[in-house]
Amino acid sequence: MALRLVADFDLQKDVLPGLLAQRAVLAVAGARGGGVGILENYDSLRVQNIERNGNIIYTYKDDKGNVFFGLYDRQTRQNEHLYTFETDFQVVSCSVNSERTLLAVSLVQATKEGRRNEHQPESKCLTLLVEIHPINNVKVLKAVDSCIWAQFLYPHVESHPLSENRLLLISEEKYIEQFHIQVTQEDGDKVVIKNSGHLPRDRVAEDFVWAQWDMLEQRLYYIDLKNSRTILKCIQFNADENFTLMFEASLDISLKDSGFKLVNFGCDYLQDQEKFSKHLSLCVFTNKTGSLCVCYSPKFDSGKQITYSVFYFHKGHSKTFTAALGSADSHVTKGITFLNLDCYVAVYLPGHFFHLLNIQHPDLICHSLFLTGKNEMIDMLPHSPLQSLSGSMVLDWNSGKLYRALLNQSYLLQLLWNTPLDCERMAVLHCVLSCGRDSRFLEAQIIQWISENISACHSFDLIQEFIIASSYWSICPETSNVDKLLPYSSVITWNTEIPGITLVTEEIALPLMKVHSFKGYWEKLNYNLEYVKYAKPHLHYNNSVIRKEWNNLISEEKTGKRRSTAYVRNILDNAMKVIFNLEARSLEPRLTPLFQEEDNHQRLLVGLMVSELKDHLLRHLQGVEKKKIEQMVLDYISKLLDLICCILEASWRKHNLHPWVLHFDRRGSAAEFAVFHLMTRILEATNSLFLPLPPGFHTLHMVLGVHCLPLHNLLHYIDNGVLLLTETAVTRLVKDLDNTERNEKLKFSIIARLPPLIGQKISRLWDHPMSSNIISRNHVKQLLQNYKKQPRDSMTDKSSFSVEFLPLNYFIDILTDIESSNQALYAFEGHDNVDAKFVGEAALKHTTMLLGL
């Protein structure tokens, strides 16, 4: 399954063996005339609550109906007995303070069936506060006809004793109170309640219909119905004994007939499970990035589809999904379940569908993974109701198992290989990269898949999406708010339908923050809300902004004119820092012959990207040190280049290529053609995003092109900009190839396409009439570019060159005249030892060669 549940606690394994051992001891003692409290009914063993520090409270009954309270410490893996009620009660709720000195319990009288009789008003609920260190007094906090839920606050993680404990009591009468309990030590370590006669209390909330407790963050979410509007509110409990109303948010849902419901206030085994499965589902999820999501599914009525909504308050919109349930005989026996997985929310209906919703980037549906009931792996999840807790923890109340919910990397990778749908490939790619565990291994697996499926996707470019997404995830977890400044995906729009699901997106009103000083999560949430209000259009970096400047620098290089050398040197220094950073992070020597030449064009592009991206982050990333931003930029661009290298290296290794591929005096193989094709796809992907390539990429691409392509195809690739002629590649071509007829034609065709300055330099390395011809052409072009014909009185032989070919003589005379009149016109770089005589001799040699004389 895409979701993996790793058991962190199992009531049957972590608690029951100890109780059975205790039973054996007590049985022996009973045979000797004593012993009580023997566990007889294993079904009575239940998890009741999980506290902020991870400790788990459980209860069980012995053969006499006595109720035992125990605690499992997840840190020490030890069990501890807390208290025993020698009366047959049904536990509604319980909680223990962080020092394990006070136990709050809500109990109702048990019926013969072991359940509260809701139709008997005399069945009172007792809420008791018990001193348990040592066992001492019991104080009655409430004795009412309605149910009460109890929950101690844990304002501090530290273990030092607190002078005051705070206890929340949540009443079925729709109010919440906070009790202040002063404790003191007597007789050494005896802890007693100091103000047991009168416990001060605060009214926290009232007239609410739904409430959810976030134990880890100590937050209370509740909904009240105000003027026929559904208003979600949040109260933050602080360490300074205060509580603060943080925000109000309007929800476009109706809860008038939904009844009273609590989420995460322990387990209420008094609920009718069948009724619970048909009840509406509503929960609030947050994560460390400052997201705020409300997941909602109305009461389910039998039909062929089910609807659920997610309110992305941190994005300013909601999405309502309608999922088909399959065939007409589909039967829904359980309710829909929402699970918090940090960057994702899992929505599933056992046997029907499983939906992983991307919380950080919910705009495009293709970034969320939807699997239908046809997928056999869906049934691997428990069919019993699961409760999502903080920190990606999930509790199965029925079995008493606590799970840590994780994305299943191995299954997702398998799905990546097997699914035929582009939407699922896109979603799985991002799910895998967001896992964040063993990123090198995951990237290697994805690269292997890309190399085998390079042309499989029609809706997006695989290489582009992998490079952009993986570079993003390598930086995003380190600094908050970077997700708004760096591109997450190469896909801007998605119009293809997702089979089995439809979607409606609507704008929603942003939460109204009730405070003005923010820290931690609240600061990030407020930043997200401010971004939604004012940051339009989006601030994602786009590398195309440097296209014009890069083109200008290349043009200046071709013409031999350059602006300030300090400016260019700074750009090249930026590129050098990236390359040093990249090489320092490389774990193994590279197989491919990259980074072995200067390749100033790519270095200029890398350096410009460093400069532009750094300025972009400095403008919009407030409160982050400049040095940290500079390092972030180096890491991001280094990662981008490294991913390109890794894709190429994987193909190089797969086809078992060797460094001698760089020599031209050999024919191309099928393996080389495969690598050449991959490099062409990489070039296509990076060109459209205007991303830099590793220095040496174009040289290697050109060499493989010469090996694998017929001459006319090769020249077509060159003329259309697919293959770029680098000085290193052409120099090696001239030196490696002999002067056979085929090679002469190849050399001439290549050199003729070089920029003038580089062409003159390369031509001088080739001792051949073709080379002389090229040099001559360039020389003549330079001389005649500003030539104006002057009237002549007579033809005079101004040169020592004379043949019986009057047009050539006339042309040489013109060149000689220009040379003698202005030496500066031909005294440019690469033209030493070139004059009119050289041009005439080269022309004759070339003519005789063409005529075969």
Side-chain angles (χ1 to χ4, degrees), residues 535-666:
K536 294 182 179 181
H538 295 300
L539 300 177
H540 283 163
Y541 171 79
N542 189 332
N543 204 50
S544 62
V545 297
I546 64 176
R547 186 188 301 269
K548 182 178 180 180
E549 179 65 7
W550 186 78
N551 287 332
N552 289 339
L553 289 173
I554 300 303
S555 298
E556 292 170 5
E557 181 187 70
K558 290 180 179 179
T559 58
K561 299 176 182 178
R562 270 284 171 86
R563 66 186 77 178
S564 169
T565 56
Y567 172 75
V568 177
R569 189 185 305 115
N570 180 62
I571 293 175
L572 294 177
D573 286 345
N574 287 340
M576 186 60 67
K577 291 177 183 178
V578 170
I579 293 172
F580 282 156
N581 188 55
L582 176 59
E583 293 299 327
R585 296 171 55 171
S586 299
L587 303 178
E588 299 177 356
R590 298 194 184 277
L591 297 175
T592 51
L594 300 176
F595 301 99
Q596 297 180 4
E597 62 179 279
E598 286 297 316
D599 199 347
N600 281 339
H601 289 187
Q602 291 307 311
R603 288 176 183 260
L604 287 173
L605 185 52
V606 170
L608 285 172
M609 185 175 181
V610 171
S611 179
E612 184 64 30
L613 181 55
K614 182 170 64 176
D615 290 344
H616 178 77
L617 295 182
L618 286 172
R619 278 195 304 271
H620 302 292
L621 201 59
Q622 303 298 324
V624 181
E625 295 180 358
K626 183 178 179 180
K627 287 186 177 180
K628 185 173 182 180
I629 290 179
E630 290 176 349
Q631 186 60 48
M632 191 186 310
V633 170
L634 292 179
D635 291 341
Y636 180 80
I637 301 176
S638 299
K639 181 66 175 181
L640 190 148
L641 291 175
D642 185 52
L643 291 171
I644 296 172
C645 292
C646 289
I647 295 173
L648 187 53
E649 292 239 329
S651 182
W652 195 273
R653 187 180 296 107
K654 173 185 175 181
H655 296 288
N656 197 29
L657 297 187
H658 300 281
W660 57 72
V661 166
L662 279 177
H663 296 286
F664 283 91
D665 54 349
R666 54 192 306 276

Side-chain angles (χ1 to χ4, degrees), residues 359-636:
I359 298 305
Q360 284 185 253
H361 303 279
D363 295 335
L364 299 184
I365 191 174
C366 62
H367 292 147
S368 298
L369 177 62
F370 183 80
L371 301 175
T372 65
K374 297 178 181 179
N375 192 304
E376 60 184 11
M377 301 293 286
I378 287 180
D379 289 330
M380 292 182 63
L381 286 174
H383 282 217
S384 56
L386 297 179
Q387 186 62 60
S388 182
L389 307 176
S390 302
S392 298
M393 301 302 295
V394 177
L395 183 62
D396 183 346
W397 293 108
N398 288 351
S399 67
K401 293 181 180 180
L402 180 67
Y403 299 98
R404 187 172 300 277
L406 304 170
L407 293 178
N408 190 339
Q409 295 179 357
S410 59
Y411 172 76
L412 290 173
L413 288 171
Q414 180 184 355
L415 183 61
L416 195 63
W417 280 92
N418 297 332
T419 180
L421 301 177
D422 281 4
C423 58
E424 290 185 2
R425 289 170 177 151
M426 170 74 79
V428 170
L429 178 64
H430 286 277
C431 287
V432 171
L433 292 173
S434 68
C435 290
R437 300 180 302 276
D438 198 4
S439 58
R440 277 283 179 182
F441 169 77
L442 294 176
E443 288 171 355
Q445 295 294 309
I446 294 173
I447 288 172
Q448 182 182 355
W449 169 69
I450 289 175
S451 64
E452 297 290 338
N453 298 272
I454 192 68
S455 301
C457 294
H458 305 287
S459 305
F460 66 98
D461 188 299
L462 273 178
I463 296 176
Q464 280 186 353
E465 194 66 16
F466 172 63
I467 291 174
I468 294 297
S470 189
S471 299
Y472 166 88
W473 280 110
S474 69
I475 298 297
C476 188
E478 298 179 5
T479 305
S480 60
N481 305 325
V482 172
D483 61 316
K484 299 171 182 59
L485 303 176
L486 291 177
Y488 166 81
S489 170
S490 64
V491 176
I492 300 176
T493 59
W494 185 274
N495 300 319
T496 307
E497 292 184 359
I498 309 296
I501 193 170
T502 58
L503 166 67
V504 175
T505 302
E506 298 177 323
E507 289 190 4
I508 58 176
L510 298 179
L512 176 63
M513 303 301 293
K514 291 293 189 177
V515 295
H516 302 287
S517 178
F518 305 101
K519 292 182 180 179
Y521 165 81
W522 299 112
E523 182 179 12
K524 295 176 181 178
L525 173 61
N526 188 62
Y527 179 89
N528 288 336
L529 298 179
E530 294 296 310
Y531 178 82
V532 174
K533 289 180 185 177
Y534 305 114
K536 294 182 179 181
H538 295 300
L539 300 177
H540 283 163
Y541 171 79
N542 189 332
N543 204 50
S544 62
V545 297
I546 64 176
R547 186 188 301 269
K548 182 178 180 180
E549 179 65 7
W550 186 78
N551 287 332
N552 289 339
L553 289 173
I554 300 303
S555 298
E556 292 170 5
E557 181 187 70
K558 290 180 179 179
T559 58
K561 299 176 182 178
R562 270 284 171 86
R563 66 186 77 178
S564 169
T565 56
Y567 172 75
V568 177
R569 189 185 305 115
N570 180 62
I571 293 175
L572 294 177
D573 286 345
N574 287 340
M576 186 60 67
K577 291 177 183 178
V578 170
I579 293 172
F580 282 156
N581 188 55
L582 176 59
E583 293 299 327
R585 296 171 55 171
S586 299
L587 303 178
E588 299 177 356
R590 298 194 184 277
L591 297 175
T592 51
L594 300 176
F595 301 99
Q596 297 180 4
E597 62 179 279
E598 286 297 316
D599 199 347
N600 281 339
H601 289 187
Q602 291 307 311
R603 288 176 183 260
L604 287 173
L605 185 52
V606 170
L608 285 172
M609 185 175 181
V610 171
S611 179
E612 184 64 30
L613 181 55
K614 182 170 64 176
D615 290 344
H616 178 77
L617 295 182
L618 286 172
R619 278 195 304 271
H620 302 292
L621 201 59
Q622 303 298 324
V624 181
E625 295 180 358
K626 183 178 179 180
K627 287 186 177 180
K628 185 173 182 180
I629 290 179
E630 290 176 349
Q631 186 60 48
M632 191 186 310
V633 170
L634 292 179
D635 291 341
Y636 180 80

Side-chain angles (χ1 to χ4, degrees), residues 284-353:
V284 179
F285 293 146
T286 62
N287 70 18
K288 59 186 178 181
T289 65
S291 67
L292 174 62
C293 293
V294 177
C295 303
Y296 167 72
S297 179
K299 292 182 180 179
F300 176 74
D301 296 323
S302 58
K304 297 182 179 180
Q305 60 187 25
I306 190 168
T307 299
Y308 51 97
S309 300
V310 180
F311 296 82
Y312 300 94
F313 281 107
H314 59 292
K315 295 291 185 179
H317 64 254
S318 68
K319 291 183 180 293
T320 299
F321 303 91
T322 301
L325 296 181
S327 59
D329 59 350
S330 297
H331 182 57
V332 178
T333 58
K334 303 296 181 182
I336 199 168
T337 299
F338 298 102
L339 300 178
N340 187 9
L341 305 176
D342 195 20
C343 294
Y344 285 86
V345 164
V347 186
Y348 80 96
L349 192 64
H352 292 275
F353 69 85

Side-chain angles (χ1 to χ4, degrees), residues 112-255:
K112 292 181 180 180
E113 294 81 13
R115 308 181 69 154
R116 176 171 68 100
N117 190 337
E118 298 179 359
H119 302 291
Q120 295 180 359
E122 64 273 17
S123 299
K124 290 188 176 182
C125 176
L126 288 176
T127 303
L128 308 175
L129 184 61
V130 184
E131 297 172 353
I132 59 174
H133 187 67
I135 296 175
N136 196 19
N137 297 323
V138 176
K139 177 177 175 57
V140 178
L141 296 179
K142 295 280 184 179
V144 293
D145 293 333
S146 58
C147 279
I148 299 290
W149 286 263
Q151 179 61 62
F152 273 105
L153 299 181
Y154 280 66
H156 294 284
V157 179
E158 294 83 3
S159 59
H160 65 270
L162 299 175
S163 60
E164 178 179 286
N165 290 265
R166 289 184 286 163
L167 175 68
L168 293 182
L169 293 188
I170 301 91
S171 171
E172 203 172 18
E173 297 297 325
K174 301 179 181 180
Y175 67 84
I176 300 176
E177 291 182 322
Q178 177 183 228
F179 283 76
H180 300 265
I181 306 167
Q182 297 285 340
V183 295
T184 185
Q185 287 189 347
E186 295 180 355
D187 303 330
D189 60 353
K190 182 180 180 180
V191 177
V192 297
I193 301 173
K194 185 177 180 180
N195 54 343
S196 60
H198 173 70
L199 297 178
R201 69 184 74 178
D202 306 313
R203 183 61 64 99
V204 175
E206 56 188 5
D207 297 331
F208 66 94
V209 295
W210 172 95
Q212 175 180 317
W213 177 240
D214 187 335
M215 172 58 76
L216 186 62
E217 303 298 340
Q218 299 288 279
R219 298 177 194 141
L220 171 68
Y221 302 96
Y222 67 98
I223 289 176
D224 64 12
L225 303 179
K226 183 181 297 183
N227 299 326
S228 300
R229 297 171 59 214
T230 303
I231 305 298
L232 172 68
K233 298 181 179 180
C234 177
I235 288 178
Q236 175 72 66
F237 291 90
N238 306 309
D240 59 1
E241 302 181 4
N242 293 322
F243 59 90
T244 307
L245 176 63
M246 298 304 298
F247 70 79
E248 293 183 358
S250 177
L251 289 174
D252 187 19
I253 58 176
S254 177
L255 296 180

